[in-house]
Amino acid sequence: MLELRNISKAYRRGKETVPVLNDISIRVNAGEFVSLIGPSGSGKSTLFRLIGGVERPDGGRINIDGNDVTGKRGLISYMPQQAALFPWLSVADNISSALVTAGTSKKEAKEQAVAWLDRIHLGGVAKEYPHLLSGGMQQRVSFLRALLMRRNVMCLDEPFAALDALTRAEMQRWLLDLWEADRRSVLFVTHSIEEALMLSDRIYVLSPAPATVLRELDVPFERPRRAEVWTDPAFVTLKRDVLELLGESHSSRA
């Protein structure tokens, strides 16, 4: 379980202090899929840097499985917005290195890497280097690396943003299938309300910076989630609710 308690963060810009996060409290229960939605610049990526221990909050603390991990690194699997791949390794070796880090033997990791790449339809580029792949392909390989790093908490920062609509929908279904088979705690950042509703158990809606939690929404759709869930009247209602929250937050800050 991941828990953020009363997290605040500000940055210095010259002589000015700019607050980014203001008393944020968020939880992701064991095996739960939670999404963050907020306007650009609302501190979503900053939250991930804090969770990953890259930065420390000015106030509050971060717990994983009941332990205070504030400022500690290496305890989550993380995928940033831009592909995070080793440029000197082939695509297959990028995947096998993640498996080795997770405890798989080198021989078995090489075999599994090929199988995993075939599952996401990238077996044909297994021997290529990342710079030869399209942006969408790089993101898929990076996403697969994050999935294979065996951590109890996964933080995914808009992992599908670089993909075309068809591939994005395919990867959403693929992620759900994998997650259903081996549920881990996931904190997912997206700008797409539809994506959050498709994937999540709960959604936190954030205000513009300095970000606060405007509302925590339960997503009522049963699992395994149906591909046509977007036609459910409750889906349309929840989407409208989130849009209204975001619109009201912009108006109040204007």
mmCIF file with all atom_site columns, all heavy atoms in Angstrom, residues 135-161:
data_model
loop_
_atom_site.group_PDB
_atom_site.id
_atom_site.type_symbol
_atom_site.label_atom_id
_atom_site.label_alt_id
_atom_site.label_comp_id
_atom_site.label_asym_id
_atom_site.label_entity_id
_atom_site.label_seq_id
_atom_site.pdbx_PDB_ins_code
_atom_site.Cartn_x
_atom_site.Cartn_y
_atom_site.Cartn_z
_atom_site.occupancy
_atom_site.B_iso_or_equiv
_atom_site.pdbx_formal_charge
_atom_site.auth_seq_id
_atom_site.auth_comp_id
_atom_site.auth_asym_id
_atom_site.auth_atom_id
_atom_site.pdbx_PDB_model_num
ATOM 1   N N   . GLY A 1 135 ? 8.754  6.797  -31.603 1.00 0.00 ? 135 GLY A N   1
ATOM 2   C CA  . GLY A 1 135 ? 8.463  7.224  -30.237 1.00 0.00 ? 135 GLY A CA  1
ATOM 3   C C   . GLY A 1 135 ? 7.483  6.306  -29.542 1.00 0.00 ? 135 GLY A C   1
ATOM 4   O O   . GLY A 1 135 ? 7.639  5.971  -28.368 1.00 0.00 ? 135 GLY A O   1
ATOM 5   N N   . GLY A 1 136 ? 6.458  5.863  -30.284 1.00 0.00 ? 136 GLY A N   1
ATOM 6   C CA  . GLY A 1 136 ? 5.467  4.974  -29.699 1.00 0.00 ? 136 GLY A CA  1
ATOM 7   C C   . GLY A 1 136 ? 6.060  3.635  -29.317 1.00 0.00 ? 136 GLY A C   1
ATOM 8   O O   . GLY A 1 136 ? 5.738  3.074  -28.261 1.00 0.00 ? 136 GLY A O   1
ATOM 9   N N   . MET A 1 137 ? 6.932  3.094  -30.166 1.00 0.00 ? 137 MET A N   1
ATOM 10  C CA  . MET A 1 137 ? 7.585  1.828  -29.851 1.00 0.00 ? 137 MET A CA  1
ATOM 11  C C   . MET A 1 137 ? 8.486  1.965  -28.625 1.00 0.00 ? 137 MET A C   1
ATOM 12  O O   . MET A 1 137 ? 8.524  1.090  -27.757 1.00 0.00 ? 137 MET A O   1
ATOM 13  C CB  . MET A 1 137 ? 8.406  1.346  -31.047 1.00 0.00 ? 137 MET A CB  1
ATOM 14  C CG  . MET A 1 137 ? 7.591  0.798  -32.193 1.00 0.00 ? 137 MET A CG  1
ATOM 15  S SD  . MET A 1 137 ? 8.679  0.210  -33.519 1.00 0.00 ? 137 MET A SD  1
ATOM 16  C CE  . MET A 1 137 ? 7.473  -0.517 -34.627 1.00 0.00 ? 137 MET A CE  1
ATOM 17  N N   . GLN A 1 138 ? 9.213  3.073  -28.548 1.00 0.00 ? 138 GLN A N   1
ATOM 18  C CA  . GLN A 1 138 ? 10.079 3.297  -27.387 1.00 0.00 ? 138 GLN A CA  1
ATOM 19  C C   . GLN A 1 138 ? 9.255  3.312  -26.097 1.00 0.00 ? 138 GLN A C   1
ATOM 20  O O   . GLN A 1 138 ? 9.668  2.747  -25.075 1.00 0.00 ? 138 GLN A O   1
ATOM 21  C CB  . GLN A 1 138 ? 10.840 4.614  -27.531 1.00 0.00 ? 138 GLN A CB  1
ATOM 22  C CG  . GLN A 1 138 ? 11.909 4.602  -28.611 1.00 0.00 ? 138 GLN A CG  1
ATOM 23  C CD  . GLN A 1 138 ? 12.645 5.919  -28.689 1.00 0.00 ? 138 GLN A CD  1
ATOM 24  O OE1 . GLN A 1 138 ? 12.761 6.651  -27.705 1.00 0.00 ? 138 GLN A OE1 1
ATOM 25  N NE2 . GLN A 1 138 ? 13.146 6.254  -29.865 1.00 0.00 ? 138 GLN A NE2 1
ATOM 26  N N   . GLN A 1 139 ? 8.096  3.956  -26.151 1.00 0.00 ? 139 GLN A N   1
ATOM 27  C CA  . GLN A 1 139 ? 7.251  4.025  -24.965 1.00 0.00 ? 139 GLN A CA  1
ATOM 28  C C   . GLN A 1 139 ? 6.734  2.651  -24.561 1.00 0.00 ? 139 GLN A C   1
ATOM 29  O O   . GLN A 1 139 ? 6.636  2.330  -23.377 1.00 0.00 ? 139 GLN A O   1
ATOM 30  C CB  . GLN A 1 139 ? 6.071  4.969  -25.206 1.00 0.00 ? 139 GLN A CB  1
ATOM 31  C CG  . GLN A 1 139 ? 6.439  6.447  -25.186 1.00 0.00 ? 139 GLN A CG  1
ATOM 32  C CD  . GLN A 1 139 ? 6.914  6.883  -23.819 1.00 0.00 ? 139 GLN A CD  1
ATOM 33  O OE1 . GLN A 1 139 ? 8.082  6.742  -23.482 1.00 0.00 ? 139 GLN A OE1 1
ATOM 34  N NE2 . GLN A 1 139 ? 6.016  7.423  -23.025 1.00 0.00 ? 139 GLN A NE2 1
ATOM 35  N N   . ARG A 1 140 ? 6.415  1.834  -25.535 1.00 0.00 ? 140 ARG A N   1
ATOM 36  C CA  . ARG A 1 140 ? 5.921  0.497  -25.215 1.00 0.00 ? 140 ARG A CA  1
ATOM 37  C C   . ARG A 1 140 ? 7.012  -0.355 -24.565 1.00 0.00 ? 140 ARG A C   1
ATOM 38  O O   . ARG A 1 140 ? 6.742  -1.096 -23.620 1.00 0.00 ? 140 ARG A O   1
ATOM 39  C CB  . ARG A 1 140 ? 5.377  -0.184 -26.473 1.00 0.00 ? 140 ARG A CB  1
ATOM 40  C CG  . ARG A 1 140 ? 3.996  0.310  -26.858 1.00 0.00 ? 140 ARG A CG  1
ATOM 41  C CD  . ARG A 1 140 ? 3.328  -0.646 -27.803 1.00 0.00 ? 140 ARG A CD  1
ATOM 42  N NE  . ARG A 1 140 ? 3.793  -0.453 -29.167 1.00 0.00 ? 140 ARG A NE  1
ATOM 43  C CZ  . ARG A 1 140 ? 3.511  -1.282 -30.174 1.00 0.00 ? 140 ARG A CZ  1
ATOM 44  N NH1 . ARG A 1 140 ? 2.796  -2.365 -29.948 1.00 0.00 ? 140 ARG A NH1 1
ATOM 45  N NH2 . ARG A 1 140 ? 3.942  -1.034 -31.386 1.00 0.00 ? 140 ARG A NH2 1
ATOM 46  N N   . VAL A 1 141 ? 8.234  -0.235 -25.075 1.00 0.00 ? 141 VAL A N   1
ATOM 47  C CA  . VAL A 1 141 ? 9.332  -0.986 -24.469 1.00 0.00 ? 141 VAL A CA  1
ATOM 48  C C   . VAL A 1 141 ? 9.604  -0.468 -23.054 1.00 0.00 ? 141 VAL A C   1
ATOM 49  O O   . VAL A 1 141 ? 9.816  -1.238 -22.116 1.00 0.00 ? 141 VAL A O   1
ATOM 50  C CB  . VAL A 1 141 ? 10.603 -0.888 -25.334 1.00 0.00 ? 141 VAL A CB  1
ATOM 51  C CG1 . VAL A 1 141 ? 11.778 -1.602 -24.656 1.00 0.00 ? 141 VAL A CG1 1
ATOM 52  C CG2 . VAL A 1 141 ? 10.356 -1.490 -26.718 1.00 0.00 ? 141 VAL A CG2 1
ATOM 53  N N   . SER A 1 142 ? 9.584  0.854  -22.894 1.00 0.00 ? 142 SER A N   1
ATOM 54  C CA  . SER A 1 142 ? 9.803  1.448  -21.577 1.00 0.00 ? 142 SER A CA  1
ATOM 55  C C   . SER A 1 142 ? 8.717  1.018  -20.601 1.00 0.00 ? 142 SER A C   1
ATOM 56  O O   . SER A 1 142 ? 8.986  0.715  -19.428 1.00 0.00 ? 142 SER A O   1
ATOM 57  C CB  . SER A 1 142 ? 9.845  2.972  -21.710 1.00 0.00 ? 142 SER A CB  1
ATOM 58  O OG  . SER A 1 142 ? 10.148 3.584  -20.491 1.00 0.00 ? 142 SER A OG  1
ATOM 59  N N   . PHE A 1 143 ? 7.506  0.986  -21.075 1.00 0.00 ? 143 PHE A N   1
ATOM 60  C CA  . PHE A 1 143 ? 6.380  0.563  -20.253 1.00 0.00 ? 143 PHE A CA  1
ATOM 61  C C   . PHE A 1 143 ? 6.545  -0.895 -19.819 1.00 0.00 ? 143 PHE A C   1
ATOM 62  O O   . PHE A 1 143 ? 6.325  -1.249 -18.654 1.00 0.00 ? 143 PHE A O   1
ATOM 63  C CB  . PHE A 1 143 ? 5.091  0.759  -21.044 1.00 0.00 ? 143 PHE A CB  1
ATOM 64  C CG  . PHE A 1 143 ? 3.849  0.300  -20.339 1.00 0.00 ? 143 PHE A CG  1
ATOM 65  C CD1 . PHE A 1 143 ? 3.560  0.735  -19.068 1.00 0.00 ? 143 PHE A CD1 1
ATOM 66  C CD2 . PHE A 1 143 ? 2.974  -0.564 -20.961 1.00 0.00 ? 143 PHE A CD2 1
ATOM 67  C CE1 . PHE A 1 143 ? 2.410  0.320  -18.412 1.00 0.00 ? 143 PHE A CE1 1
ATOM 68  C CE2 . PHE A 1 143 ? 1.826  -0.981 -20.322 1.00 0.00 ? 143 PHE A CE2 1
ATOM 69  C CZ  . PHE A 1 143 ? 1.546  -0.542 -19.040 1.00 0.00 ? 143 PHE A CZ  1
ATOM 70  N N   . LEU A 1 144 ? 6.986  -1.742 -20.749 1.00 0.00 ? 144 LEU A N   1
ATOM 71  C CA  . LEU A 1 144 ? 7.204  -3.139 -20.422 1.00 0.00 ? 144 LEU A CA  1
ATOM 72  C C   . LEU A 1 144 ? 8.303  -3.292 -19.368 1.00 0.00 ? 144 LEU A C   1
ATOM 73  O O   . LEU A 1 144 ? 8.180  -4.101 -18.446 1.00 0.00 ? 144 LEU A O   1
ATOM 74  C CB  . LEU A 1 144 ? 7.571  -3.913 -21.685 1.00 0.00 ? 144 LEU A CB  1
ATOM 75  C CG  . LEU A 1 144 ? 7.802  -5.420 -21.524 1.00 0.00 ? 144 LEU A CG  1
ATOM 76  C CD1 . LEU A 1 144 ? 6.578  -6.096 -20.908 1.00 0.00 ? 144 LEU A CD1 1
ATOM 77  C CD2 . LEU A 1 144 ? 8.138  -6.047 -22.873 1.00 0.00 ? 144 LEU A CD2 1
ATOM 78  N N   . ARG A 1 145 ? 9.360  -2.499 -19.467 1.00 0.00 ? 145 ARG A N   1
ATOM 79  C CA  . ARG A 1 145 ? 10.418 -2.532 -18.445 1.00 0.00 ? 145 ARG A CA  1
ATOM 80  C C   . ARG A 1 145 ? 9.845  -2.232 -17.057 1.00 0.00 ? 145 ARG A C   1
ATOM 81  O O   . ARG A 1 145 ? 10.173 -2.903 -16.083 1.00 0.00 ? 145 ARG A O   1
ATOM 82  C CB  . ARG A 1 145 ? 11.508 -1.503 -18.782 1.00 0.00 ? 145 ARG A CB  1
ATOM 83  C CG  . ARG A 1 145 ? 12.595 -1.997 -19.711 1.00 0.00 ? 145 ARG A CG  1
ATOM 84  C CD  . ARG A 1 145 ? 13.668 -0.937 -19.901 1.00 0.00 ? 145 ARG A CD  1
ATOM 85  N NE  . ARG A 1 145 ? 14.203 -0.474 -18.634 1.00 0.00 ? 145 ARG A NE  1
ATOM 86  C CZ  . ARG A 1 145 ? 15.183 -1.083 -17.954 1.00 0.00 ? 145 ARG A CZ  1
ATOM 87  N NH1 . ARG A 1 145 ? 15.737 -2.180 -18.437 1.00 0.00 ? 145 ARG A NH1 1
ATOM 88  N NH2 . ARG A 1 145 ? 15.617 -0.595 -16.807 1.00 0.00 ? 145 ARG A NH2 1
ATOM 89  N N   . ALA A 1 146 ? 8.992  -1.214 -16.993 1.00 0.00 ? 146 ALA A N   1
ATOM 90  C CA  . ALA A 1 146 ? 8.401  -0.850 -15.701 1.00 0.00 ? 146 ALA A CA  1
ATOM 91  C C   . ALA A 1 146 ? 7.543  -1.972 -15.145 1.00 0.00 ? 146 ALA A C   1
ATOM 92  O O   . ALA A 1 146 ? 7.554  -2.254 -13.936 1.00 0.00 ? 146 ALA A O   1
ATOM 93  C CB  . ALA A 1 146 ? 7.577  0.435  -15.845 1.00 0.00 ? 146 ALA A CB  1
ATOM 94  N N   . LEU A 1 147 ? 6.796  -2.643 -16.005 1.00 0.00 ? 147 LEU A N   1
ATOM 95  C CA  . LEU A 1 147 ? 5.945  -3.735 -15.556 1.00 0.00 ? 147 LEU A CA  1
ATOM 96  C C   . LEU A 1 147 ? 6.755  -4.902 -14.994 1.00 0.00 ? 147 LEU A C   1
ATOM 97  O O   . LEU A 1 147 ? 6.329  -5.575 -14.049 1.00 0.00 ? 147 LEU A O   1
ATOM 98  C CB  . LEU A 1 147 ? 5.091  -4.244 -16.722 1.00 0.00 ? 147 LEU A CB  1
ATOM 99  C CG  . LEU A 1 147 ? 3.879  -3.408 -17.118 1.00 0.00 ? 147 LEU A CG  1
ATOM 100 C CD1 . LEU A 1 147 ? 3.266  -3.972 -18.378 1.00 0.00 ? 147 LEU A CD1 1
ATOM 101 C CD2 . LEU A 1 147 ? 2.850  -3.363 -16.001 1.00 0.00 ? 147 LEU A CD2 1
ATOM 102 N N   . LEU A 1 148 ? 7.927  -5.123 -15.570 1.00 0.00 ? 148 LEU A N   1
ATOM 103 C CA  . LEU A 1 148 ? 8.716  -6.291 -15.193 1.00 0.00 ? 148 LEU A CA  1
ATOM 104 C C   . LEU A 1 148 ? 9.619  -6.051 -13.992 1.00 0.00 ? 148 LEU A C   1
ATOM 105 O O   . LEU A 1 148 ? 10.207 -6.985 -13.470 1.00 0.00 ? 148 LEU A O   1
ATOM 106 C CB  . LEU A 1 148 ? 9.555  -6.756 -16.392 1.00 0.00 ? 148 LEU A CB  1
ATOM 107 C CG  . LEU A 1 148 ? 8.732  -7.224 -17.597 1.00 0.00 ? 148 LEU A CG  1
ATOM 108 C CD1 . LEU A 1 148 ? 9.653  -7.597 -18.747 1.00 0.00 ? 148 LEU A CD1 1
ATOM 109 C CD2 . LEU A 1 148 ? 7.837  -8.404 -17.230 1.00 0.00 ? 148 LEU A CD2 1
ATOM 110 N N   . MET A 1 149 ? 9.736  -4.800 -13.548 1.00 0.00 ? 149 MET A N   1
ATOM 111 C CA  . MET A 1 149 ? 10.475 -4.506 -12.320 1.00 0.00 ? 149 MET A CA  1
ATOM 112 C C   . MET A 1 149 ? 9.574  -4.868 -11.145 1.00 0.00 ? 149 MET A C   1
ATOM 113 O O   . MET A 1 149 ? 8.546  -4.231 -10.917 1.00 0.00 ? 149 MET A O   1
ATOM 114 C CB  . MET A 1 149 ? 10.841 -3.028 -12.260 1.00 0.00 ? 149 MET A CB  1
ATOM 115 C CG  . MET A 1 149 ? 11.797 -2.579 -13.350 1.00 0.00 ? 149 MET A CG  1
ATOM 116 S SD  . MET A 1 149 ? 13.467 -3.232 -13.163 1.00 0.00 ? 149 MET A SD  1
ATOM 117 C CE  . MET A 1 149 ? 14.012 -2.287 -11.752 1.00 0.00 ? 149 MET A CE  1
ATOM 118 N N   . ARG A 1 150 ? 9.934  -5.894 -10.413 1.00 0.00 ? 150 ARG A N   1
ATOM 119 C CA  . ARG A 1 150 ? 9.039  -6.440 -9.402  1.00 0.00 ? 150 ARG A CA  1
ATOM 120 C C   . ARG A 1 150 ? 9.047  -5.581 -8.140  1.00 0.00 ? 150 ARG A C   1
ATOM 121 O O   . ARG A 1 150 ? 9.825  -5.779 -7.217  1.00 0.00 ? 150 ARG A O   1
ATOM 122 C CB  . ARG A 1 150 ? 9.426  -7.873 -9.064  1.00 0.00 ? 150 ARG A CB  1
ATOM 123 C CG  . ARG A 1 150 ? 9.311  -8.821 -10.238 1.00 0.00 ? 150 ARG A CG  1
ATOM 124 C CD  . ARG A 1 150 ? 7.912  -8.894 -10.779 1.00 0.00 ? 150 ARG A CD  1
ATOM 125 N NE  . ARG A 1 150 ? 6.943  -9.317 -9.771  1.00 0.00 ? 150 ARG A NE  1
ATOM 126 C CZ  . ARG A 1 150 ? 5.641  -9.389 -9.990  1.00 0.00 ? 150 ARG A CZ  1
ATOM 127 N NH1 . ARG A 1 150 ? 5.144  -9.032 -11.157 1.00 0.00 ? 150 ARG A NH1 1
ATOM 128 N NH2 . ARG A 1 150 ? 4.840  -9.784 -9.033  1.00 0.00 ? 150 ARG A NH2 1
ATOM 129 N N   . ARG A 1 151 ? 8.168  -4.585 -8.132  1.00 0.00 ? 151 ARG A N   1
ATOM 130 C CA  . ARG A 1 151 ? 7.962  -3.739 -6.964  1.00 0.00 ? 151 ARG A CA  1
ATOM 131 C C   . ARG A 1 151 ? 6.472  -3.773 -6.626  1.00 0.00 ? 151 ARG A C   1
ATOM 132 O O   . ARG A 1 151 ? 5.628  -3.934 -7.513  1.00 0.00 ? 151 ARG A O   1
ATOM 133 C CB  . ARG A 1 151 ? 8.392  -2.296 -7.236  1.00 0.00 ? 151 ARG A CB  1
ATOM 134 C CG  . ARG A 1 151 ? 9.848  -2.134 -7.666  1.00 0.00 ? 151 ARG A CG  1
ATOM 135 C CD  . ARG A 1 151 ? 10.800 -2.378 -6.502  1.00 0.00 ? 151 ARG A CD  1
ATOM 136 N NE  . ARG A 1 151 ? 12.181 -2.064 -6.868  1.00 0.00 ? 151 ARG A NE  1
ATOM 137 C CZ  . ARG A 1 151 ? 13.037 -2.927 -7.378  1.00 0.00 ? 151 ARG A CZ  1
ATOM 138 N NH1 . ARG A 1 151 ? 12.649 -4.181 -7.619  1.00 0.00 ? 151 ARG A NH1 1
ATOM 139 N NH2 . ARG A 1 151 ? 14.280 -2.572 -7.664  1.00 0.00 ? 151 ARG A NH2 1
ATOM 140 N N   . ASN A 1 152 ? 6.145  -3.584 -5.356  1.00 0.00 ? 152 ASN A N   1
ATOM 141 C CA  . ASN A 1 152 ? 4.737  -3.619 -4.948  1.00 0.00 ? 152 ASN A CA  1
ATOM 142 C C   . ASN A 1 152 ? 3.956  -2.412 -5.445  1.00 0.00 ? 152 ASN A C   1
ATOM 143 O O   . ASN A 1 152 ? 2.733  -2.461 -5.553  1.00 0.00 ? 152 ASN A O   1
ATOM 144 C CB  . ASN A 1 152 ? 4.631  -3.705 -3.425  1.00 0.00 ? 152 ASN A CB  1
ATOM 145 C CG  . ASN A 1 152 ? 5.056  -5.051 -2.890  1.00 0.00 ? 152 ASN A CG  1
ATOM 146 O OD1 . ASN A 1 152 ? 5.031  -6.047 -3.610  1.00 0.00 ? 152 ASN A OD1 1
ATOM 147 N ND2 . ASN A 1 152 ? 5.455  -5.092 -1.624  1.00 0.00 ? 152 ASN A ND2 1
ATOM 148 N N   . VAL A 1 153 ? 4.664  -1.312 -5.715  1.00 0.00 ? 153 VAL A N   1
ATOM 149 C CA  . VAL A 1 153 ? 4.015  -0.078 -6.158  1.00 0.00 ? 153 VAL A CA  1
ATOM 150 C C   . VAL A 1 153 ? 4.568  0.316  -7.521  1.00 0.00 ? 153 VAL A C   1
ATOM 151 O O   . VAL A 1 153 ? 5.784  0.375  -7.722  1.00 0.00 ? 153 VAL A O   1
ATOM 152 C CB  . VAL A 1 153 ? 4.248  1.073  -5.158  1.00 0.00 ? 153 VAL A CB  1
ATOM 153 C CG1 . VAL A 1 153 ? 3.660  2.373  -5.692  1.00 0.00 ? 153 VAL A CG1 1
ATOM 154 C CG2 . VAL A 1 153 ? 3.637  0.737  -3.802  1.00 0.00 ? 153 VAL A CG2 1
ATOM 155 N N   . MET A 1 154 ? 3.654  0.602  -8.456  1.00 0.00 ? 154 MET A N   1
ATOM 156 C CA  . MET A 1 154 ? 4.023  1.096  -9.782  1.00 0.00 ? 154 MET A CA  1
ATOM 157 C C   . MET A 1 154 ? 3.493  2.502  -9.955  1.00 0.00 ? 154 MET A C   1
ATOM 158 O O   . MET A 1 154 ? 2.316  2.760  -9.682  1.00 0.00 ? 154 MET A O   1
ATOM 159 C CB  . MET A 1 154 ? 3.438  0.210  -10.883 1.00 0.00 ? 154 MET A CB  1
ATOM 160 C CG  . MET A 1 154 ? 3.956  -1.202 -10.920 1.00 0.00 ? 154 MET A CG  1
ATOM 161 S SD  . MET A 1 154 ? 3.237  -2.104 -12.322 1.00 0.00 ? 154 MET A SD  1
ATOM 162 C CE  . MET A 1 154 ? 3.871  -1.143 -13.693 1.00 0.00 ? 154 MET A CE  1
ATOM 163 N N   . CYS A 1 155 ? 4.347  3.409  -10.422 1.00 0.00 ? 155 CYS A N   1
ATOM 164 C CA  . CYS A 1 155 ? 3.938  4.775  -10.731 1.00 0.00 ? 155 CYS A CA  1
ATOM 165 C C   . CYS A 1 155 ? 4.117  5.001  -12.222 1.00 0.00 ? 155 CYS A C   1
ATOM 166 O O   . CYS A 1 155 ? 5.236  4.918  -12.741 1.00 0.00 ? 155 CYS A O   1
ATOM 167 C CB  . CYS A 1 155 ? 4.780  5.779  -9.938  1.00 0.00 ? 155 CYS A CB  1
ATOM 168 S SG  . CYS A 1 155 ? 4.417  5.789  -8.171  1.00 0.00 ? 155 CYS A SG  1
ATOM 169 N N   . LEU A 1 156 ? 3.022  5.265  -12.907 1.00 0.00 ? 156 LEU A N   1
ATOM 170 C CA  . LEU A 1 156 ? 3.029  5.414  -14.360 1.00 0.00 ? 156 LEU A CA  1
ATOM 171 C C   . LEU A 1 156 ? 2.608  6.830  -14.721 1.00 0.00 ? 156 LEU A C   1
ATOM 172 O O   . LEU A 1 156 ? 1.476  7.246  -14.435 1.00 0.00 ? 156 LEU A O   1
ATOM 173 C CB  . LEU A 1 156 ? 2.081  4.392  -15.001 1.00 0.00 ? 156 LEU A CB  1
ATOM 174 C CG  . LEU A 1 156 ? 2.283  2.925  -14.602 1.00 0.00 ? 156 LEU A CG  1
ATOM 175 C CD1 . LEU A 1 156 ? 1.256  2.041  -15.296 1.00 0.00 ? 156 LEU A CD1 1
ATOM 176 C CD2 . LEU A 1 156 ? 3.688  2.461  -14.929 1.00 0.00 ? 156 LEU A CD2 1
ATOM 177 N N   . ASP A 1 157 ? 3.523  7.563  -15.328 1.00 0.00 ? 157 ASP A N   1
ATOM 178 C CA  . ASP A 1 157 ? 3.312  8.976  -15.633 1.00 0.00 ? 157 ASP A CA  1
ATOM 179 C C   . ASP A 1 157 ? 2.943  9.138  -17.100 1.00 0.00 ? 157 ASP A C   1
ATOM 180 O O   . ASP A 1 157 ? 3.810  9.251  -17.959 1.00 0.00 ? 157 ASP A O   1
ATOM 181 C CB  . ASP A 1 157 ? 4.578  9.768  -15.306 1.00 0.00 ? 157 ASP A CB  1
ATOM 182 C CG  . ASP A 1 157 ? 4.349  11.272 -15.294 1.00 0.00 ? 157 ASP A CG  1
ATOM 183 O OD1 . ASP A 1 157 ? 3.252  11.706 -15.710 1.00 0.00 ? 157 ASP A OD1 1
ATOM 184 O OD2 . ASP A 1 157 ? 5.253  12.008 -14.884 1.00 0.00 ? 157 ASP A OD2 1
ATOM 185 N N   . GLU A 1 158 ? 1.645  9.085  -17.401 1.00 0.00 ? 158 GLU A N   1
ATOM 186 C CA  . GLU A 1 158 ? 1.129  9.197  -18.764 1.00 0.00 ? 158 GLU A CA  1
ATOM 187 C C   . GLU A 1 158 ? 1.838  8.257  -19.730 1.00 0.00 ? 158 GLU A C   1
ATOM 188 O O   . GLU A 1 158 ? 2.365  8.675  -20.761 1.00 0.00 ? 158 GLU A O   1
ATOM 189 C CB  . GLU A 1 158 ? 1.243  10.639 -19.260 1.00 0.00 ? 158 GLU A CB  1
ATOM 190 C CG  . GLU A 1 158 ? 0.424  11.631 -18.461 1.00 0.00 ? 158 GLU A CG  1
ATOM 191 C CD  . GLU A 1 158 ? 0.370  12.990 -19.127 1.00 0.00 ? 158 GLU A CD  1
ATOM 192 O OE1 . GLU A 1 158 ? -0.447 13.151 -20.058 1.00 0.00 ? 158 GLU A OE1 1
ATOM 193 O OE2 . GLU A 1 158 ? 1.139  13.869 -18.737 1.00 0.00 ? 158 GLU A OE2 1
ATOM 194 N N   . PRO A 1 159 ? 1.856  6.955  -19.442 1.00 0.00 ? 159 PRO A N   1
ATOM 195 C CA  . PRO A 1 159 ? 2.640  6.040  -20.275 1.00 0.00 ? 159 PRO A CA  1
ATOM 196 C C   . PRO A 1 159 ? 2.122  5.868  -21.690 1.00 0.00 ? 159 PRO A C   1
ATOM 197 O O   . PRO A 1 159 ? 2.853  5.398  -22.556 1.00 0.00 ? 159 PRO A O   1
ATOM 198 C CB  . PRO A 1 159 ? 2.551  4.715  -19.505 1.00 0.00 ? 159 PRO A CB  1
ATOM 199 C CG  . PRO A 1 159 ? 1.277  4.825  -18.739 1.00 0.00 ? 159 PRO A CG  1
ATOM 200 C CD  . PRO A 1 159 ? 1.176  6.258  -18.339 1.00 0.00 ? 159 PRO A CD  1
ATOM 201 N N   . PHE A 1 160 ? 0.854  6.226  -21.944 1.00 0.00 ? 160 PHE A N   1
ATOM 202 C CA  . PHE A 1 160 ? 0.292  6.025  -23.277 1.00 0.00 ? 160 PHE A CA  1
ATOM 203 C C   . PHE A 1 160 ? 0.196  7.312  -24.084 1.00 0.00 ? 160 PHE A C   1
ATOM 204 O O   . PHE A 1 160 ? -0.344 7.315  -25.192 1.00 0.00 ? 160 PHE A O   1
ATOM 205 C CB  . PHE A 1 160 ? -1.105 5.397  -23.168 1.00 0.00 ? 160 PHE A CB  1
ATOM 206 C CG  . PHE A 1 160 ? -1.147 4.132  -22.370 1.00 0.00 ? 160 PHE A CG  1
ATOM 207 C CD1 . PHE A 1 160 ? -2.085 3.963  -21.372 1.00 0.00 ? 160 PHE A CD1 1
ATOM 208 C CD2 . PHE A 1 160 ? -0.235 3.112  -22.594 1.00 0.00 ? 160 PHE A CD2 1
ATOM 209 C CE1 . PHE A 1 160 ? -2.134 2.792  -20.626 1.00 0.00 ? 160 PHE A CE1 1
ATOM 210 C CE2 . PHE A 1 160 ? -0.272 1.950  -21.857 1.00 0.00 ? 160 PHE A CE2 1
ATOM 211 C CZ  . PHE A 1 160 ? -1.229 1.785  -20.874 1.00 0.00 ? 160 PHE A CZ  1
ATOM 212 N N   . ALA A 1 161 ? 0.690  8.404  -23.562 1.00 0.00 ? 161 ALA A N   1
ATOM 213 C CA  . ALA A 1 161 ? 0.486  9.705  -24.197 1.00 0.00 ? 161 ALA A CA  1
ATOM 214 C C   . ALA A 1 161 ? 1.093  9.773  -25.591 1.00 0.00 ? 161 ALA A C   1
ATOM 215 O O   . ALA A 1 161 ? 0.578  10.480 -26.469 1.00 0.00 ? 161 ALA A O   1
ATOM 216 C CB  . ALA A 1 161 ? 1.072  10.812 -23.328 1.00 0.00 ? 161 ALA A CB  1
#
